Amino acid sequence: VEESYTWFYEGRNGWWQYDERTDAELEESYRANKRTFELLIAGYVYVIDLDSMLQYRRSDPSRRRRIKRDLVGAAKKGIAGLKIK
Ligand code: V3L
């Protein structure tokens, strides 16, 4: 079902799940077929590009991270920088 998918951004050696609020905003924009939009994440404006599946800080587009929409159970490092054991 639809609830079994969630959003991840890339870390050094694995994927981090987005925080719940950002996940909801990503999913809403994804379902509305938005391609490029901005989100406030941890106090910074990030550009989300769903054509390239990348995120980057608006003020520093050179540092890009891959993002993905994957099953909730996919391997991850943690959620929004909070590690899971
Ligand atoms: N949600 C939360 N924090 C983020 C996000 C996001 N979507 N995007 C970037 N940051 P940049 P490892 C990450 C944080 O891309 O060991 C992880 O959450 C980002 O945090 O240049 O490399 C970890 O906390 C980074 O601290 O804008 O896998 C940390 O990296 C900072 O914004 C280390 O993860 C700059 O990222």
Side-chain angles (χ1 to χ4, degrees):
V1 297
E2 59 199 33
E3 295 302 325
S4 60
Y5 282 88
T6 190
W7 290 83
F8 301 86
Y9 60 96
E10 195 172 38
R12 269 174 298 183
N13 50 357
W15 295 88
W16 293 98
Q17 191 174 332
Y18 280 86
D19 70 274
E20 193 174 343
R21 180 187 59 80
T22 306
D23 177 76
E25 293 177 342
L26 280 164
E27 188 67 16
E28 183 181 8
S29 295
Y30 168 79
R31 293 187 191 194
N33 290 313
K34 290 186 189 169
R35 310 313 309 165
T36 306
F37 48 93
E38 294 178 352
L39 291 181
L40 193 62
I41 300 173
Y44 293 94
V45 178
Y46 280 81
V47 175
I48 307 292
D49 180 346
L50 295 186
D51 287 322
S52 301
M53 291 300 273
L54 294 170
Q55 67 151 61
Y56 50 89
R57 218 178 265 194
R58 188 173 64 183
S59 61
D60 188 0
S62 67
R63 299 201 300 181
R64 296 166 175 240
R65 288 174 191 270
R66 292 198 296 158
I67 66 175
K68 67 172 182 174
R69 183 175 184 267
D70 202 351
L71 292 169
V72 168
K76 61 174 180 269
K77 299 186 75 173
I79 301 177
L82 296 178
K83 285 189 181 171
I84 49 175
K85 301 186 249 343

